[in-house]
Amino acid sequence: MDNQNNMPLPYKLEKFTARNDYAFKKLFGTYENKDIMIEFISLVTKIRKADFKDVQIENSETHPQFFDDKVGRLDIKILLQDGKKIDIEMQNIYFDYYTKRSIFYWTELLTENFKHGADYSELNKCIAINILNQPFKLTDKIHSLYKILEWEYHTLLDDIFEIHFFDLTKLNNPDMTELEKWLLFIKTEDSSVRTQLAQGNPVMVKANEVMNNFYLDDKERERYMAAGRYESDRISMIHESERRGLEQGIQRGKQEGLKEGLHQKAIETAKNLLNIGLSIDNIAKATGLTIEEVQSFPPASF
C-alpha cells in the first residue's frame, strides 16, 4: 500500500468521477447516503433539510445488470413527506430534444398515481433537476430555473412546476458558492480536487470517502465500469445516428442536385429546339418535359 491517501498504486492515479451513472446514484440515490442527497437538493431547491424526514427514494437500481442489460431509467426519484416529488438526473451528453424529454419526465412525475376522478388539489409540486456535462444552449448561466410565468408581467401561474438545468461546462468562478462546490465535486475526475473541496464540509467529506472506498472495491469498481460502458454505448449510438443522418442528407442532396441539373439541361435543350421551330409535342417527347412546361417558356426568351 502507498501511504499517500491509503490507496493502492494501481488505482491511486486513476481518474474517476461522480458523473458516472453508478457513482451518481451511489452518492445521491441510496438510503445509506441520504444525508448527501439532502445536502445537495436542499441547496438546489431551498427546501429545508427538516422537510426531508422519512424521504422515499425510487428508481435507485445500481447493480451491474442494470447497466449491461440497458434496462430502466437512470434518474433518481425522491418523494418528500409533504408530497413534493423530485427527479434528479446526471446527463453527460446534450441533445436537441433534451428539454422536451425533461418536461415529459416532469409530467410523468406529476401524474403518476393520480387516479381519474381525484381532486386536482391532490397534485403536489414536482421538481426536475438536470445536471448537464455539455453546454446548455438556452442560457449562459450555470444554473437555469424554469417555472410557468405570465409572458408580460412574469406572474407565477402555479408553483407546481419547477425545472432546473445545471451546466457543468460553465463552472469557472474562483469564488464558488456551496452549491457550485458540489457541482465541481460531481464534475471533476481528480480525487485531489474532491478532497480539497470537502475541507470544512462534513457531508462532502463523507461523499469523498464514498467515492474513494467504492472505487477500491473490486465489485463496486466493476459496477462503475459497467455504467461507463453503458454511457459509451449510448453516446456511440447517438453519434452513429447523427452520422447516418448526415450521410443520408448528403446523399439526398446529391440526388436532388443531379435531378435539378438534368431538369435545367432539359429546359435549355427545349428552348434551343423551339428556336429552330420544332413542334411543342416533339420537344416534349425529346426532353421529357411536359407540354405545359414547354408552352410556358416566353417567346421573348428565344
Side-chain angles (χ1 to χ4, degrees):
M1 290 281 285
D2 181 0
N3 290 330
Q4 184 179 0
N5 297 330
N6 292 324
M7 298 176 71
L9 283 173
Y11 303 114
K12 186 187 71 169
L13 299 180
E14 286 249 11
K15 293 183 177 181
F16 59 105
T17 175
R19 288 184 286 104
N20 172 279
D21 287 319
Y22 176 75
F24 190 80
K25 280 201 167 186
K26 187 79 173 178
L27 283 176
F28 301 107
T30 55
Y31 282 102
E32 62 265 32
N33 296 323
K34 184 173 68 173
D35 51 340
I36 299 173
M37 176 269 291
I38 291 172
E39 172 89 5
F40 179 70
I41 293 183
S42 178
L43 287 170
V44 172
T45 62
K46 310 302 182 186
I47 297 174
R48 298 180 312 157
K49 293 181 182 179
D51 293 337
F52 285 84
K53 183 180 179 181
D54 298 326
V55 66
Q56 296 180 34
I57 303 173
E58 300 179 15
N59 204 34
S60 58
E61 302 91 338
T62 54
H63 51 80
Q65 291 79 13
F66 177 70
F67 301 105
D68 287 340
D69 294 343
K70 300 175 179 58
V71 294
R73 278 170 44 170
L74 298 177
D75 54 326
I76 302 165
K77 294 198 296 185
I78 299 155
L79 178 63
L80 274 61
Q81 191 176 25
D82 63 0
K84 289 189 183 75
K85 300 175 186 178
I86 300 171
D87 185 280
I88 180 170
E89 179 183 49
M90 179 69 233
Q91 184 67 30
N92 283 297
I93 184 168
Y94 184 86
F95 33 87
D96 290 340
Y97 56 85
Y98 185 79
T99 53
K100 289 183 175 63
R101 177 176 176 270
S102 180
I103 294 169
F104 181 77
Y105 277 18
W106 180 89
T107 58
E108 284 188 328
L109 201 65
L110 177 71
T111 58
E112 66 180 359
N113 302 324
F114 185 77
K115 296 179 174 57
H116 291 291
D119 192 326
Y120 288 119
S121 64
E122 297 177 13
L123 291 171
N124 293 296
K125 181 172 184 176
C126 295
I127 302 170
I129 302 171
N130 305 278
I131 303 173
L132 307 172
N133 195 43
Q134 286 192 342
F136 182 60
K137 300 176 182 179
L138 300 184
T139 75
D140 59 358
K141 300 165 59 180
I142 294 174
H143 179 196
S144 301
L145 170 59
Y146 291 86
K147 296 189 176 186
I148 302 177
L149 305 176
E150 199 281 330
W151 177 258
E152 184 179 358
Y153 295 104
H154 294 178
T155 52
L156 188 65
L157 179 66
D158 196 292
D159 195 41
I160 200 169
F161 181 91
E162 183 173 316
I163 298 185
H164 299 256
F165 294 93
F166 289 96
D167 186 341
L168 299 183
T169 69
K170 296 185 175 80
L171 281 171
N172 56 11
N173 182 8
D175 299 319
M176 290 185 293
T177 64
E178 284 301 306
L179 177 55
E180 289 170 346
K181 289 179 181 179
W182 274 105
L183 294 173
L184 183 56
F185 185 95
I186 293 168
K187 177 183 178 179
T188 186
E189 297 179 346
D190 191 332
S191 61
S192 65
V193 172
R194 286 191 292 269
T195 300
Q196 185 177 5
L197 288 168
Q199 292 179 3
N201 185 334
V203 178
M204 198 177 289
V205 167
K206 177 182 176 180
N208 194 37
E209 290 174 352
V210 171
M211 289 288 292
N212 291 335
N213 290 339
F214 87 70
Y215 197 73
L216 290 177
D217 182 275
D218 289 341
K219 291 182 179 179
E220 294 276 69
R221 190 169 59 257
E222 174 53 34
R223 294 174 181 179
Y224 176 96
M225 300 300 290
R229 292 191 295 271
Y230 172 73
E231 183 71 18
S232 294
D233 287 347
R234 290 175 64 222
I235 292 173
S236 296
M237 286 188 288
I238 290 173
H239 287 170
E240 179 64 19
S241 296
E242 291 173 346
R243 283 193 294 269
R244 288 184 178 181
L246 179 60
E247 290 171 0
Q248 290 171 358
I250 292 172
Q251 187 62 31
R252 282 196 298 270
K254 288 180 178 179
Q255 292 171 351
E256 290 298 323
L258 178 60
K259 183 178 179 181
E260 180 63 24
L262 292 173
H263 187 253
Q264 289 299 321
K265 181 65 175 176
I267 290 174
E268 292 301 321
T269 301
K271 290 179 179 180
N272 291 333
L273 294 175
L274 277 172
N275 271 337
I276 64 175
L278 198 65
S279 70
I280 289 177
D281 286 344
N282 287 332
I283 291 173
K285 291 176 182 177
T287 61
L289 298 174
T290 65
I291 291 175
E292 290 75 14
E293 283 180 294
V294 177
Q295 287 175 332
S296 70
F297 300 146
S301 64
F302 301 105

